[in-house]
Coordinates of all heavy atoms in Angstrom, one line a residue:
Chain W
M1 N -0.8 -5.5 -36.3 CA -1.1 -4.9 -35.0 C 0.2 -4.9 -34.1 O 0.4 -4.0 -33.3 CB -2.2 -5.7 -34.3 CG -3.0 -4.9 -33.2 SD -3.7 -3.4 -33.9 CE -4.6 -2.8 -32.5
I2 N 1.0 -6.0 -34.3 CA 2.2 -6.1 -33.5 C 3.2 -4.9 -33.9 O 3.8 -4.3 -33.0 CB 2.9 -7.4 -33.7 CG1 2.1 -8.5 -33.0 CG2 4.3 -7.4 -33.1 CD1 2.5 -9.9 -33.2
I3 N 3.2 -4.6 -35.2 CA 4.0 -3.4 -35.6 C 3.6 -2.1 -34.9 O 4.4 -1.3 -34.6 CB 4.0 -3.3 -37.1 CG1 5.1 -2.4 -37.7 CG2 2.6 -2.8 -37.6 CD1 6.4 -3.0 -37.7
A4 N 2.3 -2.0 -34.6 CA 1.8 -0.8 -34.0 C 2.4 -0.7 -32.6 O 2.9 0.4 -32.1 CB 0.3 -0.8 -33.9
I5 N 2.4 -1.8 -31.8 CA 3.0 -1.8 -30.5 C 4.4 -1.5 -30.5 O 4.9 -0.7 -29.7 CB 2.8 -3.2 -29.8 CG1 1.3 -3.5 -29.6 CG2 3.5 -3.3 -28.5 CD1 1.1 -4.8 -29.0
Q6 N 5.1 -2.1 -31.5 CA 6.6 -1.9 -31.6 C 6.9 -0.4 -31.9 O 7.8 0.2 -31.3 CB 7.2 -2.8 -32.7 CG 7.2 -4.3 -32.3 CD 7.7 -5.2 -33.4 OE1 7.6 -4.8 -34.6 NE2 8.2 -6.3 -33.0
L7 N 6.1 0.2 -32.8 CA 6.3 1.6 -33.1 C 6.0 2.5 -31.8 O 6.7 3.4 -31.5 CB 5.4 2.0 -34.3 CG 5.9 1.6 -35.6 CD1 4.9 1.9 -36.7 CD2 7.2 2.3 -35.9
L8 N 4.9 2.1 -31.1 CA 4.5 2.9 -29.9 C 5.6 2.8 -28.9 O 6.0 3.8 -28.2 CB 3.2 2.4 -29.3 CG 1.9 2.8 -30.1 CD1 0.7 2.0 -29.6 CD2 1.7 4.3 -29.8
V9 N 6.2 1.6 -28.7 CA 7.2 1.4 -27.7 C 8.5 2.2 -28.1 O 9.2 2.8 -27.3 CB 7.5 -0.1 -27.5 CG1 8.8 -0.3 -26.6 CG2 6.3 -0.7 -26.8
L10 N 8.8 2.1 -29.4 CA 10.0 2.9 -29.9 C 9.8 4.4 -29.7 O 10.7 5.0 -29.2 CB 10.2 2.6 -31.4 CG 11.4 3.2 -32.0 CD1 12.7 2.4 -31.5 CD2 11.4 3.0 -33.5
L11 N 8.6 4.9 -29.9 CA 8.3 6.3 -29.7 C 8.4 6.6 -28.2 O 8.9 7.7 -27.9 CB 6.8 6.5 -30.2 CG 6.6 7.9 -30.9 CD1 7.3 7.9 -32.2 CD2 5.1 8.0 -31.2
L12 N 7.9 5.7 -27.4 CA 8.0 5.9 -25.9 C 9.4 6.0 -25.4 O 9.8 6.8 -24.6 CB 7.2 4.8 -25.2 CG 6.9 4.9 -23.7 CD1 6.1 6.2 -23.5 CD2 6.2 3.7 -23.2
I13 N 10.3 5.1 -26.0 CA 11.7 5.1 -25.6 C 12.4 6.4 -26.0 O 13.1 7.0 -25.3 CB 12.4 3.8 -26.1 CG1 11.8 2.6 -25.4 CG2 13.9 3.9 -26.0 CD1 12.3 1.3 -26.1
A14 N 12.1 6.8 -27.3 CA 12.7 8.0 -27.8 C 12.3 9.2 -27.0 O 13.1 10.0 -26.6 CB 12.3 8.2 -29.3
L15 N 11.0 9.3 -26.7 CA 10.5 10.5 -26.0 C 11.0 10.5 -24.5 O 11.4 11.5 -24.0 CB 8.9 10.5 -25.9 CG 8.3 11.6 -25.2 CD1 8.6 13.0 -25.9 CD2 6.7 11.5 -25.3
S16 N 11.1 9.2 -23.9 CA 11.7 9.1 -22.6 C 13.1 9.6 -22.6 O 13.5 10.3 -21.6 CB 11.6 7.7 -22.1 OG 10.3 7.2 -22.1
T17 N 13.9 9.2 -23.6 CA 15.3 9.7 -23.6 C 15.4 11.2 -23.7 O 16.2 11.8 -23.0 CB 16.0 9.0 -24.8 OG1 15.7 7.6 -24.8 CG2 17.5 9.2 -24.8
V18 N 14.5 11.8 -24.6 CA 14.5 13.2 -24.8 C 14.2 13.9 -23.4 O 14.8 14.9 -23.0 CB 13.6 13.7 -25.9 CG1 13.4 15.2 -25.9 CG2 14.1 13.2 -27.2
L19 N 13.1 13.4 -22.8 CA 12.7 14.0 -21.5 C 13.7 13.8 -20.4 O 13.9 14.7 -19.6 CB 11.4 13.4 -21.1 CG 10.1 13.8 -21.9 CD1 8.9 13.1 -21.4 CD2 9.9 15.3 -21.7
V20 N 14.4 12.7 -20.4 CA 15.4 12.4 -19.3 C 16.6 13.4 -19.4 O 17.1 13.9 -18.4 CB 15.9 11.0 -19.4 CG1 17.3 10.8 -18.8 CG2 15.0 10.0 -18.8
V21 N 16.9 13.8 -20.7 CA 17.9 14.9 -20.8 C 17.3 16.3 -20.7 O 17.9 17.1 -20.0 CB 18.6 14.7 -22.2 CG1 19.6 15.8 -22.4 CG2 19.2 13.4 -22.4
G22 N 16.2 16.5 -21.3 CA 15.6 17.8 -21.4 C 15.1 18.4 -20.1 O 15.4 19.6 -19.8
V23 N 14.4 17.6 -19.3 CA 13.8 18.2 -18.1 C 14.8 18.7 -17.1 O 14.7 19.9 -16.7 CB 12.9 17.1 -17.4 CG1 12.4 17.6 -16.0 CG2 11.7 16.8 -18.3
P24 N 15.9 18.0 -16.7 CA 16.8 18.6 -15.8 C 17.6 19.8 -16.4 O 17.9 20.7 -15.6 CB 17.8 17.4 -15.4 CG 17.5 16.3 -16.4 CD 16.2 16.6 -17.0
V25 N 17.8 19.7 -17.7 CA 18.5 20.9 -18.3 C 17.6 22.1 -18.2 O 18.1 23.2 -17.9 CB 18.9 20.6 -19.7 CG1 19.4 21.8 -20.5 CG2 20.0 19.5 -19.8
V26 N 16.4 22.0 -18.6 CA 15.5 23.1 -18.5 C 15.3 23.6 -17.1 O 15.3 24.8 -16.8 CB 14.1 22.7 -19.1 CG1 13.0 23.8 -18.7 CG2 14.2 22.6 -20.6
L27 N 15.2 22.7 -16.1 CA 15.0 23.1 -14.7 C 16.2 23.8 -14.2 O 16.1 24.8 -13.3 CB 14.7 21.9 -13.8 CG 13.3 21.4 -13.9 CD1 13.1 20.0 -13.2 CD2 12.3 22.4 -13.4
A28 N 17.4 23.5 -14.6 CA 18.6 24.1 -14.0 C 19.2 25.2 -14.8 O 20.2 25.8 -14.4 CB 19.7 23.0 -13.8
S29 N 18.6 25.5 -16.0 CA 19.1 26.6 -16.7 C 18.4 27.9 -16.3 O 17.2 27.9 -16.2 CB 18.9 26.4 -18.2 OG 19.6 25.2 -18.6
P30 N 19.2 29.0 -16.1 CA 18.6 30.2 -15.6 C 17.6 30.8 -16.6 O 17.9 31.0 -17.8 CB 19.8 31.1 -15.4 CG 20.9 30.5 -16.1 CD 20.6 29.1 -16.2
G31 N 16.3 31.0 -16.1 CA 15.3 31.7 -17.0 C 14.7 30.7 -18.0 O 13.8 31.1 -18.7
Q32 N 15.2 29.5 -18.1 CA 14.7 28.6 -19.1 C 13.3 28.0 -18.8 O 12.5 27.7 -19.7 CB 15.7 27.5 -19.3 CG 15.4 26.6 -20.5 CD 15.9 27.2 -21.8 OE1 17.0 27.7 -21.9 NE2 15.0 27.3 -22.8
W33 N 13.0 27.8 -17.5 CA 11.8 27.2 -17.1 C 10.6 28.0 -17.5 O 9.6 27.4 -18.1 CB 11.8 27.0 -15.5 CG 10.5 26.4 -15.1 CD1 9.6 27.1 -14.3 CD2 9.9 25.1 -15.3 NE1 8.5 26.3 -14.1 CE2 8.7 25.1 -14.7 CE3 10.4 24.0 -16.1 CZ2 7.9 23.9 -14.8 CZ3 9.6 22.9 -16.1 CH2 8.3 22.9 -15.5
E34 N 10.6 29.3 -17.3 CA 9.5 30.1 -17.7 C 9.2 30.0 -19.2 O 8.1 30.1 -19.6 CB 9.7 31.5 -17.2 CG 9.7 31.8 -15.7 CD 8.3 31.3 -15.1 OE1 7.3 31.5 -15.7 OE2 8.3 30.7 -14.0
Q35 N 10.3 29.9 -19.9 CA 10.2 29.9 -21.4 C 9.8 28.6 -21.9 O 9.1 28.5 -22.9 CB 11.6 30.2 -21.9 CG 11.6 30.6 -23.4 CD 13.0 30.7 -23.9 OE1 13.9 31.2 -23.2 NE2 13.3 30.4 -25.2
S36 N 10.2 27.5 -21.3 CA 10.0 26.1 -21.8 C 9.0 25.3 -21.0 O 8.9 24.1 -21.4 CB 11.3 25.4 -22.0 OG 12.2 26.2 -22.6
K37 N 8.3 25.8 -20.0 CA 7.5 24.9 -19.2 C 6.3 24.3 -20.0 O 5.9 23.2 -19.7 CB 7.1 25.6 -17.9 CG 6.1 26.7 -18.1 CD 5.7 27.2 -16.7 CE 4.9 28.4 -16.7 NZ 4.6 29.0 -15.4
G38 N 5.8 25.1 -20.9 CA 4.7 24.6 -21.8 C 5.2 23.3 -22.5 O 4.4 22.3 -22.6
L39 N 6.4 23.4 -23.1 CA 6.9 22.3 -23.8 C 7.1 21.1 -22.9 O 6.8 19.9 -23.3 CB 8.3 22.7 -24.4 CG 8.8 21.9 -25.7 CD1 7.8 22.2 -26.8 CD2 10.2 22.4 -26.0
I40 N 7.6 21.3 -21.7 CA 7.8 20.2 -20.8 C 6.5 19.6 -20.4 O 6.3 18.3 -20.4 CB 8.5 20.7 -19.5 CG1 9.9 21.2 -19.9 CG2 8.7 19.6 -18.5 CD1 10.9 20.2 -20.4
Y41 N 5.5 20.4 -20.1 CA 4.2 19.9 -19.7 C 3.6 19.1 -20.9 O 3.0 18.0 -20.7 CB 3.2 21.0 -19.3 CG 3.5 21.6 -18.0 CD1 3.4 22.9 -17.7 CD2 4.0 20.8 -16.9 CE1 3.6 23.5 -16.5 CE2 4.3 21.3 -15.7 CZ 4.1 22.7 -15.5 OH 4.4 23.2 -14.2
T42 N 3.7 19.6 -22.1 CA 3.2 18.9 -23.3 C 3.9 17.5 -23.5 O 3.3 16.5 -23.7 CB 3.5 19.7 -24.6 OG1 2.9 21.0 -24.4 CG2 2.8 19.1 -25.8
G43 N 5.3 17.5 -23.3 CA 6.0 16.3 -23.4 C 5.6 15.3 -22.3 O 5.4 14.1 -22.6
A44 N 5.4 15.8 -21.1 CA 4.9 14.9 -20.0 C 3.5 14.3 -20.3 O 3.3 13.1 -20.1 CB 4.9 15.6 -18.7
G45 N 2.6 15.2 -20.8 CA 1.3 14.7 -21.2 C 1.3 13.7 -22.3 O 0.6 12.7 -22.3
L46 N 2.2 14.0 -23.3 CA 2.3 13.0 -24.4 C 2.9 11.7 -23.9 O 2.4 10.6 -24.4 CB 3.3 13.6 -25.5 CG 3.2 13.1 -26.9 CD1 1.8 13.5 -27.5 CD2 4.3 13.7 -27.7
W47 N 3.8 11.7 -23.0 CA 4.4 10.5 -22.5 C 3.4 9.7 -21.7 O 3.3 8.5 -21.9 CB 5.6 10.9 -21.5 CG 6.4 9.8 -21.1 CD1 7.5 9.3 -21.7 CD2 6.2 9.0 -19.9 NE1 8.0 8.2 -20.9 CE2 7.2 8.0 -19.8 CE3 5.2 9.0 -18.9 CZ2 7.3 7.1 -18.8 CZ3 5.3 8.1 -17.9 CH2 6.3 7.1 -17.8
T48 N 2.6 10.4 -20.9 CA 1.5 9.7 -20.2 C 0.5 9.0 -21.1 O 0.1 7.9 -21.0 CB 0.8 10.6 -19.2 OG1 1.8 11.3 -18.4 CG2 -0.1 9.9 -18.3
G49 N 0.1 9.8 -22.1 CA -0.8 9.3 -23.1 C -0.2 8.1 -23.9 O -0.9 7.1 -24.1
L50 N 1.1 8.2 -24.2 CA 1.7 7.0 -24.9 C 1.7 5.8 -24.0 O 1.5 4.7 -24.5 CB 3.2 7.4 -25.2 CG 3.4 7.9 -26.6 CD1 4.9 8.3 -26.8 CD2 3.1 6.9 -27.7
V51 N 2.0 5.9 -22.7 CA 1.9 4.8 -21.8 C 0.5 4.1 -21.8 O 0.4 2.9 -21.9 CB 2.3 5.2 -20.4 CG1 2.1 4.1 -19.4 CG2 3.8 5.6 -20.4
I52 N -0.5 5.0 -21.7 CA -1.9 4.5 -21.7 C -2.3 3.8 -23.0 O -2.8 2.7 -23.0 CB -2.8 5.6 -21.3 CG1 -2.5 6.1 -19.8 CG2 -4.3 5.1 -21.4 CD1 -3.2 7.3 -19.4
V53 N -2.0 4.5 -24.1 CA -2.3 4.0 -25.4 C -1.6 2.6 -25.7 O -2.2 1.7 -26.2 CB -2.0 5.0 -26.5 CG1 -2.1 4.4 -27.9 CG2 -3.0 6.2 -26.4
T54 N -0.3 2.6 -25.3 CA 0.5 1.4 -25.5 C -0.1 0.2 -24.7 O -0.2 -0.9 -25.2 CB 2.0 1.6 -25.1 OG1 2.5 2.7 -25.8 CG2 2.8 0.4 -25.4
S55 N -0.5 0.5 -23.5 CA -1.1 -0.6 -22.6 C -2.4 -1.1 -23.2 O -2.7 -2.3 -23.2 CB -1.3 -0.1 -21.2 OG -2.4 0.8 -21.2
L56 N -3.2 -0.1 -23.8 CA -4.5 -0.5 -24.4 C -4.3 -1.4 -25.6 O -4.9 -2.4 -25.8 CB -5.3 0.7 -24.7 CG -5.9 1.5 -23.5 CD1 -6.6 2.8 -24.0 CD2 -6.9 0.6 -22.8
V57 N -3.4 -0.9 -26.5 CA -3.1 -1.7 -27.7 C -2.5 -3.0 -27.4 O -2.9 -4.0 -28.0 CB -2.1 -0.9 -28.6 CG1 -1.7 -1.7 -29.8 CG2 -2.8 0.4 -29.1
N58 N -1.6 -3.0 -26.4 CA -1.0 -4.3 -26.0 C -2.1 -5.3 -25.4 O -2.0 -6.5 -25.7 CB 0.0 -4.0 -24.9 CG 0.8 -5.3 -24.5 OD1 1.4 -5.9 -25.4 ND2 0.7 -5.7 -23.3
S59 N -3.1 -4.8 -24.7 CA -4.1 -5.7 -24.1 C -5.0 -6.2 -25.2 O -5.6 -7.3 -25.1 CB -4.9 -5.0 -23.1 OG -5.7 -4.0 -23.7
L60 N -5.1 -5.5 -26.4 CA -5.9 -6.0 -27.5 C -5.2 -7.1 -28.3 O -5.8 -8.0 -28.9 CB -6.1 -4.8 -28.5 CG -7.1 -3.8 -28.0 CD1 -7.2 -2.7 -29.1 CD2 -8.5 -4.3 -27.8
V61 N -3.8 -7.1 -28.2 CA -3.1 -8.1 -29.0 C -2.7 -9.3 -28.3 O -3.0 -10.5 -28.7 CB -1.8 -7.4 -29.6 CG1 -0.9 -8.4 -30.2 CG2 -2.2 -6.3 -30.6
V62 N -2.1 -9.2 -27.1 CA -1.6 -10.3 -26.4 C -2.7 -11.1 -25.7 O -3.6 -10.4 -25.1 CB -0.5 -9.9 -25.4 CG1 0.0 -11.2 -24.6 CG2 0.6 -9.3 -26.1
Chain Z
M1 N 27.2 -14.5 -39.7 CA 25.9 -14.0 -39.3 C 26.1 -13.0 -38.1 O 26.8 -13.3 -37.1 CB 25.1 -15.2 -38.8 CG 23.6 -14.9 -38.7 SD 22.6 -16.3 -38.7 CE 23.1 -17.2 -37.3
I2 N 25.4 -11.9 -38.3 CA 25.6 -10.8 -37.2 C 24.5 -11.0 -36.2 O 23.4 -11.2 -36.5 CB 25.5 -9.4 -37.9 CG1 26.5 -9.3 -39.0 CG2 25.6 -8.3 -36.9 CD1 26.3 -8.0 -39.8
N3 N 25.0 -10.9 -34.9 CA 24.0 -11.0 -33.8 C 23.4 -9.6 -33.5 O 24.0 -8.8 -32.7 CB 24.8 -11.5 -32.6 CG 23.8 -12.0 -31.5 OD1 22.6 -11.6 -31.5 ND2 24.3 -12.8 -30.6
W4 N 22.3 -9.3 -34.1 CA 21.7 -8.0 -34.0 C 21.2 -7.7 -32.6 O 21.1 -6.5 -32.2 CB 20.5 -7.9 -35.0 CG 21.0 -7.8 -36.5 CD1 20.9 -8.8 -37.4 CD2 21.7 -6.8 -37.1 NE1 21.5 -8.4 -38.6 CE2 22.0 -7.2 -38.4 CE3 22.2 -5.5 -36.7 CZ2 22.7 -6.4 -39.3 CZ3 22.9 -4.7 -37.6 CH2 23.1 -5.1 -38.9
Q5 N 20.8 -8.7 -31.9 CA 20.3 -8.5 -30.5 C 21.4 -7.9 -29.7 O 21.1 -7.0 -28.9 CB 19.8 -9.8 -29.9 CG 18.3 -10.1 -30.3 CD 17.6 -11.0 -29.3 OE1 18.2 -11.4 -28.4 NE2 16.3 -11.2 -29.6
V6 N 22.6 -8.5 -29.8 CA 23.7 -8.0 -28.9 C 24.1 -6.6 -29.3 O 24.3 -5.7 -28.5 CB 24.9 -9.0 -29.0 CG1 26.1 -8.4 -28.4 CG2 24.6 -10.3 -28.4
I7 N 24.0 -6.3 -30.7 CA 24.3 -5.0 -31.1 C 23.3 -4.0 -30.6 O 23.7 -2.9 -30.1 CB 24.4 -4.9 -32.7 CG1 25.6 -5.7 -33.1 CG2 24.5 -3.5 -33.2 CD1 25.7 -5.9 -34.6
A8 N 22.0 -4.3 -30.6 CA 21.0 -3.4 -30.1 C 21.2 -3.3 -28.6 O 20.9 -2.2 -28.1 CB 19.6 -4.0 -30.4
Q9 N 21.5 -4.3 -27.9 CA 21.7 -4.2 -26.4 C 22.9 -3.3 -26.1 O 22.8 -2.4 -25.2 CB 22.0 -5.6 -25.8 CG 20.8 -6.5 -25.7 CD 21.2 -7.9 -25.4 OE1 22.3 -8.3 -25.3 NE2 20.2 -8.7 -25.2
L10 N 24.0 -3.4 -26.9 CA 25.1 -2.5 -26.7 C 24.8 -1.0 -27.0 O 25.2 -0.1 -26.3 CB 26.3 -3.0 -27.5 CG 27.0 -4.2 -27.0 CD1 28.0 -4.7 -28.0 CD2 27.7 -4.0 -25.7
V11 N 24.0 -0.8 -28.1 CA 23.6 0.5 -28.4 C 22.7 1.1 -27.3 O 22.9 2.3 -26.9 CB 22.9 0.5 -29.8 CG1 22.2 1.9 -30.0 CG2 23.8 0.2 -30.9
S12 N 21.8 0.3 -26.8 CA 20.9 0.8 -25.7 C 21.7 1.1 -24.5 O 21.5 2.1 -23.8 CB 19.9 -0.3 -25.4 OG 19.2 -0.7 -26.5
L13 N 22.7 0.2 -24.1 CA 23.6 0.5 -23.0 C 24.4 1.8 -23.2 O 24.5 2.6 -22.3 CB 24.5 -0.7 -22.7 CG 25.4 -0.5 -21.6 CD1 24.7 -0.5 -20.3 CD2 26.5 -1.7 -21.5
G14 N 24.8 2.0 -24.4 CA 25.6 3.2 -24.7 C 24.7 4.4 -24.5 O 25.2 5.4 -23.9
V15 N 23.5 4.4 -25.0 CA 22.6 5.5 -24.8 C 22.4 5.8 -23.4 O 22.5 7.0 -22.9 CB 21.3 5.3 -25.6 CG1 20.2 6.3 -25.2 CG2 21.5 5.3 -27.1
I16 N 22.1 4.8 -22.6 CA 21.8 5.0 -21.1 C 23.0 5.5 -20.4 O 22.9 6.4 -19.6 CB 21.4 3.6 -20.5 CG1 20.0 3.2 -21.1 CG2 21.3 3.7 -19.0 CD1 19.6 1.8 -20.8
V17 N 24.2 5.0 -20.8 CA 25.5 5.5 -20.1 C 25.8 6.9 -20.5 O 26.2 7.7 -19.6 CB 26.6 4.5 -20.5 CG1 28.0 5.1 -20.1 CG2 26.5 3.2 -19.8
L18 N 25.5 7.3 -21.7 CA 25.9 8.6 -22.2 C 24.9 9.7 -21.8 O 25.3 10.9 -21.8 CB 26.1 8.6 -23.7 CG 27.4 7.8 -24.2 CD1 27.4 7.8 -25.7 CD2 28.6 8.5 -23.6
V19 N 23.7 9.3 -21.5 CA 22.6 10.3 -21.3 C 22.9 11.1 -20.0 O 22.7 12.3 -19.9 CB 21.2 9.6 -21.3 CG1 20.4 10.2 -20.2 CG2 20.6 9.8 -22.6
G20 N 23.5 10.4 -19.0 CA 23.8 11.1 -17.7 C 24.8 12.2 -17.9 O 24.5 13.4 -17.6
P21 N 26.0 11.9 -18.4 CA 27.0 13.0 -18.6 C 26.5 14.0 -19.6 O 26.9 15.2 -19.5 CB 28.2 12.2 -19.1 CG 28.0 10.8 -18.7 CD 26.6 10.6 -18.6
A22 N 25.6 13.7 -20.5 CA 25.1 14.7 -21.5 C 24.4 15.8 -20.7 O 24.5 17.0 -21.1 CB 24.2 14.0 -22.5
V23 N 23.6 15.4 -19.7 CA 23.0 16.5 -18.9 C 24.0 17.4 -18.3 O 23.8 18.7 -18.3 CB 22.1 15.8 -17.8 CG1 21.5 16.9 -16.9 CG2 21.0 15.0 -18.4
I24 N 25.0 16.9 -17.7 CA 26.1 17.7 -17.1 C 26.7 18.6 -18.1 O 26.9 19.8 -17.9 CB 27.1 16.8 -16.4 CG1 26.5 15.8 -15.5 CG2 28.1 17.7 -15.7 CD1 25.7 16.4 -14.3
I25 N 27.1 18.1 -19.3 CA 27.8 18.8 -20.3 C 26.9 19.9 -20.8 O 27.3 21.1 -21.0 CB 28.3 17.9 -21.4 CG1 29.4 17.0 -20.9 CG2 28.7 18.7 -22.6 CD1 29.8 15.9 -21.8
L26 N 25.6 19.6 -21.1 CA 24.6 20.6 -21.6 C 24.5 21.7 -20.6 O 24.5 22.9 -20.9 CB 23.3 20.0 -21.8 CG 23.1 19.3 -23.2 CD1 21.8 18.6 -23.3 CD2 23.2 20.4 -24.3
L27 N 24.4 21.4 -19.3 CA 24.2 22.4 -18.2 C 25.5 23.3 -18.1 O 25.4 24.5 -17.9 CB 23.9 21.8 -16.9 CG 22.4 21.4 -16.7 CD1 22.2 20.7 -15.4 CD2 21.6 22.7 -16.7
S28 N 26.6 22.7 -18.3 CA 27.9 23.5 -18.2 C 28.0 24.4 -19.4 O 28.4 25.5 -19.3 CB 29.1 22.6 -18.0 OG 29.3 21.9 -19.3
L29 N 27.5 23.9 -20.6 CA 27.6 24.8 -21.8 C 26.6 26.0 -21.6 O 26.9 27.1 -22.1 CB 27.3 24.0 -23.0 CG 28.3 23.0 -23.5 CD1 27.8 22.2 -24.7 CD2 29.6 23.8 -23.9
K30 N 25.4 25.7 -21.0 CA 24.4 26.7 -20.9 C 24.6 27.6 -19.6 O 23.8 28.4 -19.3 CB 23.0 26.1 -20.9 CG 22.6 25.5 -22.2 CD 21.5 24.6 -22.1 CE 20.2 25.3 -21.8 NZ 19.5 25.8 -23.0
R31 N 25.7 27.3 -18.9 CA 26.0 28.0 -17.7 C 24.8 27.9 -16.7 O 24.4 28.9 -16.1 CB 26.4 29.4 -17.9 CG 27.5 29.7 -18.9 CD 28.4 30.8 -18.5 NE 29.6 30.9 -19.4 CZ 30.7 30.2 -19.3 NH1 30.8 29.3 -18.4 NH2 31.6 30.3 -20.2
G32 N 24.3 26.6 -16.6 CA 23.2 26.4 -15.7 C 23.6 26.2 -14.3 O 24.8 26.3 -13.9
N33 N 22.6 26.0 -13.4 CA 22.9 25.9 -12.0 C 23.3 24.4 -11.7 O 22.5 23.5 -11.4 CB 21.6 26.2 -11.2 CG 21.8 26.2 -9.7 OD1 22.9 25.9 -9.3 ND2 20.8 26.5 -9.0
L34 N 24.6 24.2 -11.8 CA 25.2 22.8 -11.5 C 25.3 22.6 -10.0 O 25.6 21.5 -9.6 CB 26.6 22.7 -12.2 CG 26.5 22.4 -13.7 CD1 27.9 22.6 -14.3 CD2 26.0 21.0 -14.0

């Protein structure tokens, strides 16, 4: 079960890094927002879900 | 014996330090609104 938390946290860190770079680039590139806003919203939803799932799994273990 | 914790800390610091300028470089390459 601990390995599950570690994998979830690793995934969260990786996705956070991608979003930290990707969101400002998409927002400041001309015409890119209309093209990629679905991807950004999906990434943000996935990130929120990961935070909630990680907290639930963590509360089951510790 | 290799101190893996310190290596991971340095790698993490490197990622955090490089991510900021990466945004600027990507935007300049894409001719974004800097």
Side-chain angles (χ1 to χ4, degrees):
Chain W
M1 203 61 174
I2 289 173
I3 192 80
I5 295 180
Q6 289 176 337
L7 283 173
L8 282 169
V9 171
L10 187 68
L11 219 65
L12 191 59
I13 291 171
L15 183 60
S16 300
T17 310
V18 170
L19 286 174
V20 157
V21 177
V23 171
V25 170
V26 166
L27 281 172
S29 300
Q32 190 79 48
W33 173 249
E34 291 302 322
Q35 191 186 329
S36 307
K37 66 176 175 184
L39 204 64
I40 297 293
Y41 287 146
T42 308
L46 202 66
W47 188 90
T48 310
L50 265 175
V51 169
I52 294 168
V53 169
T54 306
S55 73
L56 289 176
V57 173
N58 185 59
S59 68
L60 289 177
V61 170
V62 179
Chain Z
M1 194 160 64
I2 302 171
N3 195 341
W4 290 108
Q5 277 206 354
V6 172
I7 291 173
Q9 286 170 356
L10 286 170
V11 169
S12 305
L13 181 65
V15 169
I16 291 167
V17 166
L18 290 174
V19 140
V23 173
I24 308 297
I25 290 167
L26 276 173
L27 277 177
S28 69
L29 287 175
K30 292 164 72 83
R31 307 218 176 276
N33 186 359
L34 283 167

